[in-house]
C-alpha cells in the first residue's frame, strides 16, 4: 500500500475444558452445620474458533486495525461473531488521537452452567424475625445460559508538546462507554428473601391485631404467619416454624449494564539543573455512569455507592485521584504518592427497632438476636450515617542505585519506603471488619526495605 505493507494474521483454535468435582460423603449427605453440604458434579465444553486481523496503514499518519473472531460452543449450541476496529491518527508530532469500537462476549464458566457451590452469607430474614447470622447459600448452575454480550467504544488523545513553553507537559485522556447485555449473575440472597417475604405477606409484615391489614410474619409470641407460599424452592424454611434455613439461587442472564467514564493523566517534567529532575503527575478516573437494569426493570445508579445487594456490583466512588512527585538525580531517586478516594454512599440497610426508618451503622453497634428484635441498635444517634467518608493516604520511597561490584551489575539498587505512611485508618462501615475491603486497606502503615540486584 502507499503508506506501507498491509499486515494480516489469522488462525483457528480448538479447546476443551473439563471439570469433575467429587465431594466427600459428609458433604453429599449435607451433614455440615454452616456450609451445609455439597453435591458431586461435572461439566465439559468443546469450542471451535477462528480469527482474522488486518493492520492497514491508510496514510503515513493514520493506522487502522480491523479484526473479527467467531466461536462455536458445542454444549449449548451457541455461535458468536465479534468484530473490532481501531484507529490511530498522528495529527502532528505532539498530538495523537485514537478510537476503537467493537463487540465482545463471555460464556458462563463450567461452574455457572453445570455446577453447584456452597458459601456462607451473613444475612437477616425479616419475615421470621431472624437477625443477622451466617447461613448457607447454595448456588446452582444453569445449562441454558447464553453468552454475555457487550458493545464497547472509546476515544482518546495523547498530547506532549515537543517544543515551546509547554515542552515537558504530557496529557492523556480516554473516554470509554460499555454496554453489557444478558449479564450472567447469581440471584442475590437479599432479593430472594425480599421476594419470598412479599409473596408471603402481600400487604406487608404486621404483628398488630388492630392494624387494618392481616397479621403476617413473626408475631410477639414468636409464631410466624404466612399468607402465601413464597418461593419454597429457593428460600428454604423449616416447615414446622418457617424459620429461614438457607437460600438456593440460580445463575441466569438477568441484567443489563451501561458503564461510561473518563481516565486521565497530566504530567510535567521540571528540569531543576544541579538539583536533578522532578516529574509531577495527576492521574485519576471519573465514573460517569454505572446503570444496572435488573430483570424486573428497576434501574440502579451505582456511581457513588457501595452497591450492597446488587449481584455484580462493587463499591464505586465517583472519583479516584493520585498525585505523584518523582525526583531523580544521579544515583538518587525518591517519590511521594498521594492517593485520594472519593466519599460514597453505604446503601446497606440496618433496621432500628425503635424507629420506622432504616439506617447504616458506622460506629459501635449492638447486634440484637434476642426475642422481638432484629438488625442492630445504635448506641448513639451520631453513629448512624449513610456516608462513607473520603480517604487520603500517602506513600513514599527513596532509592539509591548501587555501582557495579563483582557479580552485582549496574542497575542494582536499595530502596526504603512505605505505603500509607501516616497510618490513616479506613472509613468505618457496617460490614465484617468494619471497613470496605473492595475499596480500602485496613493494614495501616506498611514499611519495607528492598535490595534489587542485577547480574
Amino acid at each position: 500500500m502507499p503508506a506501507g505493507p498491509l499486515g494480516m494474521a489469522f488462525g483457528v483454535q480448538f479447546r476443551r475444558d473439563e471439570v469433575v468435582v467429587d465431594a466427600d460423603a459428609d458433604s453429599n449427605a449435607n451433614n455440615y452445620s454452616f456450609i451445609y453440604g455439597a453435591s458431586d458434579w461435572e461439566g465439559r465444553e468443546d469450542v471451535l474458533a477462528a480469527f482474522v486481523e488486518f493492520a492497514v496503514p491508510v496514510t503515513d499518519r493514520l493506522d487502522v486495525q480491523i479484526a473479527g473472531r467467531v466461536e462455536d460452543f458445542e454444549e449449548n449450541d451457541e455461535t458468536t461473531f465479534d468484530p473490532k476496529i481501531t484507529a490511530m491518527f498522528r495529527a502532528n508530532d505532539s498530538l495523537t488521537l485514537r478510537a476503537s469500537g467493537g463487540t465482545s462476549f463471555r460464556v458462563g464458566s463450567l461452574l455457572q452452567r453445570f455446577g453447584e457451590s456452597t458459601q456462607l452469607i451473613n444475612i437477616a430474614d425479616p419475615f421470621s424475625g431472624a437477625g443477622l447470622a451466617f447461613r448457607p447459600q447454595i448456588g446452582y448452575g444453569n445449562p441454558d445460559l447464553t453468552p454475555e454480550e457487550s458493545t464497547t467504544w472509546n476515544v482518546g488523545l495523547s498530547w506532549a508538546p515537543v517544543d515551546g513553553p509547554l515542552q515537558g507537559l504530557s496529557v492523556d485522556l480516554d473516554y470509554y462507554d460499555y454496554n453489557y447485555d444478558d449479564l450472567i449473575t447469581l440471584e442475590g440472597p437479599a432479593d430472594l428473601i425480599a421476594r419470598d417475604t412479599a409473596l408471603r405477606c402481600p400487604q406487608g409484615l404486621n404483628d398488630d391485631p388492630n392494624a387494618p391489614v392481616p397479621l403476617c410474619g413473626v408475631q410477639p409470641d414468636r409464631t410466624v404467619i404466612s399468607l402465601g407460599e413464597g418461593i419454597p424452592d429457593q428460600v428454604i424454611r423449616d416447615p414446622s416454624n418457617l424459620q429461614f434455613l438457607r437460600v438456593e439461587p440460580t445463575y441466569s442472564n438477568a441484567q443489563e449494564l451501561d458503564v461510561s467514564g473518563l481516565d486521565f493523566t497530566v504530567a510535567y517534567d521540571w528540569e531543576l539543573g544541579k538539583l536533578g529532575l522532578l516529574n509531577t503527575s495527576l492521574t485519576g478516573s471519573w465514573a460517569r455512569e454505572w446503570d444496572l437494569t435488573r430483570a424486573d426493570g428497576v434501574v440502579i445508579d451505582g456511581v457513588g455507592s457501595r452497591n450492597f445487594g446488587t449481584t455484580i456490583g462493587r463499591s464505586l466512588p465517583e472519583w479516584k485521584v493520585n498525585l505523584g512527585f518523582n525526583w531523580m538525580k544521579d544515583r538518587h531517586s525518591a517519590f511521594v504518592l498521594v492517593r485520594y478516594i472519593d466519599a460514597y454512599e453505604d446503601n446497606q440497610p440496618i433496621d432500628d427497632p425503635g424507629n420506622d426508618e432504616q439506617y447504616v451503622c458506622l460506629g459501635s453497634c449492638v447486634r440484637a438476636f434476642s426475642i422481638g428484635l432484629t438488625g442492630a441498635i445504635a448506641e448513639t444517634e451520631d453513629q448512624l450515617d449513610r456516608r462513607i467518608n473520603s480517604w487520603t493516604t500517602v506513600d513514599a520511597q527513596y532509592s539509591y542505585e548501587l555501582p557495579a561490584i563483582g557479580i552485582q551489575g549496574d542497575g542494582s539498587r536499595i530502596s526504603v519506603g512505605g505505603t500509607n505512611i501516616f497510618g490513616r485508618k479506613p472509613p468505618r462501615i457496617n460490614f465484617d471488619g468494619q471497613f470496605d475491603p473492595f475499596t480500602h486497606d485496613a493494614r495501616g502503615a506498611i514499611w519495607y526495605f528492598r535490595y534489587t540486584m542485577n547480574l
Side-chain angles (χ1 to χ4, degrees), residues 378-399:
E379 292 181 346
T380 60
E381 187 173 341
D382 61 1
Q383 292 169 338
L384 296 170
D385 197 358
R386 282 188 172 274
R387 183 178 176 84
I388 300 175
N389 293 330
S390 61
W391 196 47
T392 303
T393 59
V394 179
D395 302 346
Q397 177 184 283
Y398 166 77
S399 295

Side-chain angles (χ1 to χ4, degrees), residues 306 308 314-315 320 341 344 346 348 388 391 426-443:
R306 183 179 158 204
F308 178 84
R314 290 291 186 269
S315 302
K320 289 185 177 182
I341 298 176
Y344 55 103
D346 187 347
Q348 179 180 4
I388 300 175
W391 196 47
R428 299 180 68 183
I429 68 170
N430 176 55
F431 192 71
D432 294 339
Q434 293 193 329
F435 77 102
D436 184 351
F438 298 108
T439 308
H440 306 122
D441 189 336
R443 293 176 296 175

Side-chain angles (χ1 to χ4, degrees), residues 176 261-266 281-288 302-307 314-324 337-344 388-393 436-441:
Y176 58 87
L262 179 71
D263 295 330
F264 62 89
T265 298
V266 180
S281 63
L282 183 69
T283 302
S285 62
W286 170 54
R288 174 184 174 271
V303 175
S305 173
R306 183 179 158 204
N307 290 310
R314 290 291 186 269
S315 302
L316 187 62
E318 184 176 1
W319 290 93
K320 289 185 177 182
V321 180
N322 293 341
L323 176 62
L337 184 64
V338 182
R339 304 177 187 266
Y340 171 80
I341 298 176
D342 199 11
Y344 55 103
I388 300 175
N389 293 330
S390 61
W391 196 47
T392 303
T393 59
D436 184 351
F438 298 108
T439 308
H440 306 122
D441 189 336

Side-chain angles (χ1 to χ4, degrees), residues 3-22:
L6 173 72
M8 183 180 71
F10 62 92
V12 295
Q13 178 190 57
F14 173 80
R15 69 178 185 272
R16 169 173 292 172
D17 299 325
E18 293 183 89
V19 63
V20 177
V21 175
D22 185 7

Side-chain angles (χ1 to χ4, degrees), residues 4 23 79 163 200 260 266 293 369 381 402 450:
T79 301
D163 52 28
R200 292 180 180 276
S260 62
V266 180
T293 304
F369 300 101
E381 187 173 341
L402 300 170
R450 180 180 300 136

Side-chain angles (χ1 to χ4, degrees), residues 345-423:
E345 177 189 8
D346 187 347
N347 63 331
Q348 179 180 4
I350 292 295
D351 291 328
D352 178 2
N355 198 309
D356 292 335
E357 300 183 35
Q358 287 187 319
Y359 298 94
V360 172
C361 175
L362 296 183
S364 300
C365 292
V366 178
R367 299 285 173 92
F369 300 101
S370 57
I371 293 177
L373 298 180
T374 63
I377 303 175
E379 292 181 346
T380 60
E381 187 173 341
D382 61 1
Q383 292 169 338
L384 296 170
D385 197 358
R386 282 188 172 274
R387 183 178 176 84
I388 300 175
N389 293 330
S390 61
W391 196 47
T392 303
T393 59
V394 179
D395 302 346
Q397 177 184 283
Y398 166 77
S399 295
Y400 179 76
E401 184 175 341
L402 300 170
I405 302 175
I407 63 171
Q408 175 182 279
D410 288 328
S412 300
R413 64 179 59 242
I414 56 173
S415 303
V416 60
T419 60
N420 190 9
I421 60 175
F422 298 112

